[in-house]
Amino acid sequence: MINLARVKRGMYFDSITLMKLARALSQMEGVAEASAVMATPANLQLLAEAGLSPMAGLTAEAGSNDVLLIVRASAETYGVAALESAEALLLDSTAEGTVHRAGEGASDYQPRSLEEARRMYEQASIAVISVPGMYAALEARVALQAGLHVFLFSDNVSLADEVALKRLGAQRELLVMGPDCGTALLNGVGLGFANVVPAGPIGIVGASGTGMQQVMCLLAEAGYGISQAIGCGGRDLSADVGGATTLQGLRLLQADEQTRVIVLVSKPPAAEVAELVLTAATSGNKPVVAAFIGADVSRWRELYTGKISFAHTLTEAARMASALCANATQTDSTLRAPLGPDKAEPGVALDARQHIQQPPYIAALFSGGTLCDEALHIWGEQIAPVYSNVPLKPQWMWHEAETQEGHYALDMGADEYTRGRPHPMIDPEARLSYLRAAASDPLVGVILLDIVLGYCAHPHPASIYAPLIQESLRTASQAGRRLNYVISLCGTARDPQGLTIQVTLLREAGAEIYTSNAEAAARCLALIHEARA
């Protein structure tokens, strides 16, 4: 095998375009592996770790503003042919944005800068920004100065830049959703990872993309629609940022005629910021549900009793919001209804003397950070320790280079897993290698996966996961090993992937399907309990 590479200097393409290009190259004759990335230091390190360096054919070092094309081929002729094909595909992609003069295909013209786009589309009110973090803050500032709200999908934006951008946005009465904002639904238009949900009376402000998606999908399943869903970025409720976008979002929803109930979604916020937000939430006349997943809300429950309903899980938040919309009179303590027939309820108890380092283990591989966090808190101390890259305790940190025996739950949408590669909701390839490892581990008895449907997500995830699930269950059975798959499926009947199709294929492969992440996590506890009984 030989590694060949070429550099396209001074060019930028988003990760989805580069992912499609790499897939096309991988399918060419004689090519064992291919990659197309921006040549950042982090990406170069990942290529080295993947065995794609050293590379033949480089005449000079590639830099962060260059596209790097790499193929591992069985012979040089195959590699050269693949690289030439890659250059042609990139040329075609670039040609789509060729400048046309007025009267010469002007309707096909693609603006090459935000300022140019603003001049072309004077009616626009929001800019969607998805460029490398080092450029994202500058583009967001340009958008704000042009009078546009900002949906900042980009990650790796510094905390200082986020604070400055949100301060500028507040001065201009403009929203800065992000950075690292995965989801929003504004006036019926989904941004980022968004599900197809009906319009309705429930508004959401969230510092969690998948958390918002889970609540929206569960509400849609229950027959309730969304007025607006405003994403804030994961750091918005930190002490440094101070809940800037959350506070703006609350004010907008309180003034919105379509919104009757407001839901707040976040991982544990800074205490002083939470009280600022909760106080603002009570200033309006609309009922509010707060889902601060993993936070101790006992003090806030006392302070805001009768004014705010506090949910322990995203599923509970959806139930509370739908009950409030139905003019229910239940308090938040009586809204914790059973999860339905044949469904495990959060809080399945295990004997504390049996839980330490005792197989079978749970291996949970998440694409949604808040879904991972919710599962970790549901499991709590019952099966501790649960190793993770987002652990409940520092001593439970997952270390890739070390062999750790026990339960684990990985947030594979975190920066360390998405740097230089698409998010696992878009491309499951990185998660598949971890899935294969878990499926072949004789100590693992339960595998939990979240699969998130909707726009921007993989067009047919079941076609990728179902064959692997079926094959690994067959192999485990032949070895006399009990293996269970539990799927936390976040989606709606109107999503482009087809919820029914996904459920049918995954269930036929042998997986148990739950549309509630909390129920899926609880089911894992029950399966571990059954295996040890």
Side-chain angles (χ1 to χ4, degrees), residues 445-526:
V446 179
I447 296 177
L448 172 60
L449 297 172
D450 68 334
I451 294 179
V452 182
L453 309 181
Y455 293 119
C456 288
H458 191 280
H460 194 1
S463 68
I464 303 296
Y465 291 107
L468 197 155
I469 290 171
Q470 190 171 39
E471 178 60 29
S472 61
L473 287 175
R474 183 184 302 114
T475 301
S477 177
Q478 291 171 350
R481 171 185 163 210
R482 177 175 174 178
L483 179 62
N484 298 273
Y485 278 91
V486 178
I487 304 291
S488 169
L489 187 61
C490 181
T492 72
R494 296 166 61 191
D495 281 334
Q497 294 86 352
L499 179 66
T500 301
I501 294 172
Q502 303 302 312
V503 169
T504 300
L505 289 176
L506 291 167
R507 187 169 285 154
E508 287 177 349
E512 296 185 40
I513 314 298
Y514 293 85
T515 54
S516 159
N517 186 65
E519 292 177 9
R523 177 57 179 160
C524 291
L525 282 181

Side-chain angles (χ1 to χ4, degrees), residues 179-230:
D180 203 11
C181 185
T183 302
L185 182 69
L186 306 175
N187 296 331
V189 177
L191 302 177
F193 296 110
N195 300 94
V196 183
V197 297
I202 300 173
I204 303 175
V205 181
S208 160
T210 49
M212 293 171 65
Q213 286 184 268
Q214 170 79 144
V215 172
M216 286 192 283
C217 290
L218 290 172
L219 286 169
E221 186 178 356
Y224 291 89
I226 305 300
S227 57
Q228 312 285 345
I230 300 171

